[in-house]
Amino acid sequence: MIQCMDLSKSYSKKCVIDKSNFEIESNKISFLMGANGTGKTTFIKCLMKMENYKGKITFDCKNINQVREKCLVIWDDCPFYTNLSGITNLMLFGENKKSKKQIIEIATKRLEYALLKNNVKTYSYGQKKKLALALVEILQPKYLFMDEISNGLDFDMMKELKDDIKRWAETMTIFLTGHQFSFYNELVDSLFAFKDEQIVLLEENFSSCGETLEEIYDKRMH
């Protein structure tokens, strides 16, 4: 479980997150809803201590420095070494969790081997996303954060990814943000949202609330 206690984040005089208290349950898929610019990506950066903040964040009663190696963030713009090959990137980021043979077996389920031998600078936006998804299988993190993960993926890949996320949630605590609600509707367990600069739990059991993310956004977020 991830606990956020009196979490606040400001840039100069602009308040982004204001004294928020909530819990992200273990082995569940949680989703954070909010308009562009509300602070969804900033919140993930706070979780990773990439931004300074006020308040306290714990991961099963531990701080980020004690669990950092168990965390993985898949950003909207995946920060790979563009002058290195896809395989080399996976080996570097893979932290020796898998052998080269195992890494290739995992990666070729998403990208062709010929492409994996090319430098990442030749990859499309969607291909870099697929490379990042291979890292999830390689690292098997305990805490997985995914920012706008469906962007750049085709229909077949999004369908596969839904199945992957559901499977990963059996052993991982997953936290998602995004705007493509149709992709997330059948995935979400717990729904969070930005309301007046606070992050609040809207639905603890989203699947039984009888509304779609689109409907909730239209009714409750305006």
Side-chain angles (χ1 to χ4, degrees):
M1 178 183 291
I2 301 172
Q3 290 184 299
C4 297
M5 292 155 276
D6 289 327
L7 177 64
S8 297
K9 171 64 184 174
S10 298
Y11 292 108
S12 190
K13 294 182 179 180
K14 177 177 172 55
C15 178
V16 180
I17 305 171
D18 184 30
K19 294 181 182 177
S20 297
N21 293 275
F22 57 93
E23 297 175 347
I24 300 169
E25 289 191 52
S26 300
N27 303 121
K28 299 283 187 181
I29 302 170
S30 298
F31 182 80
L32 177 59
M33 176 185 287
N36 279 332
T38 49
K40 298 185 298 297
T41 301
T42 296
F43 170 61
I44 295 177
K45 289 181 177 179
C46 288
L47 287 170
M48 295 295 101
K49 199 61 176 173
M50 296 170 67
E51 295 274 4
N52 291 322
Y53 59 84
K54 293 181 180 179
K56 188 176 181 180
I57 299 174
T58 60
F59 298 74
D60 295 306
C61 300
K62 299 177 181 179
N63 65 46
I64 181 61
N65 293 328
Q66 294 173 293
V67 300
R68 192 177 293 278
E69 75 280 359
K70 298 178 181 178
C71 298
L72 177 63
V73 181
I74 304 297
W75 301 104
D76 185 24
D77 184 16
C78 305
F80 288 110
Y81 296 108
T82 58
N83 287 322
L84 298 177
S85 71
I87 292 173
T88 301
N89 267 280
L90 293 179
M91 290 181 67
L92 286 171
F93 287 108
E95 301 173 357
N96 298 315
K97 295 286 181 71
K98 297 281 192 296
S99 67
K100 183 176 180 179
K101 181 181 178 182
Q102 289 172 315
I103 287 172
I104 291 171
E105 287 176 356
I106 290 168
T108 49
K109 293 177 182 178
R110 302 182 188 275
L111 295 164
E112 293 182 2
Y113 182 64
L115 180 68
L116 288 165
K117 293 192 292 182
N118 292 342
N119 287 354
V120 172
K121 64 184 177 183
T122 66
Y123 287 25
S124 69
Y125 179 80
Q127 287 168 339
K128 284 191 284 187
K129 273 284 175 70
K130 292 179 182 180
L131 193 67
L133 293 171
L135 262 183
V136 181
E137 298 282 4
I138 293 166
L139 291 171
Q140 292 290 306
K142 184 174 181 178
Y143 309 97
L144 176 62
F145 308 95
M146 308 175 89
D147 188 23
E148 299 281 6
I149 191 58
S150 61
N151 287 358
L153 300 179
D154 59 29
F155 177 81
D156 288 336
M157 189 60 211
M158 285 196 288
K159 187 176 179 181
E160 289 178 26
L161 180 56
K162 285 182 185 179
D163 292 336
D164 287 338
I165 291 173
K166 291 174 184 177
R167 175 170 52 83
W168 292 337
E170 295 174 8
T171 57
M172 302 177 195
T173 300
I174 300 178
F175 189 86
L176 309 171
T177 73
H179 293 96
Q180 201 169 350
F181 292 153
S182 59
F183 172 80
Y184 299 101
N185 268 319
E186 61 187 78
L187 291 172
V188 178
D189 294 315
S190 300
L191 174 61
F192 295 85
F194 272 95
K195 297 277 284 184
D196 300 321
E197 285 82 47
Q198 286 192 320
I199 298 175
V200 298
L201 177 63
L202 285 186
E203 293 290 345
E204 189 172 2
N205 189 356
F206 169 73
S207 61
S208 64
C209 78
E211 293 182 291
T212 65
L213 293 172
E214 294 90 340
E215 290 169 339
I216 290 174
Y217 187 85
D218 287 340
K219 290 179 183 178
R220 305 195 214 175
M221 302 297 291
H222 296 291

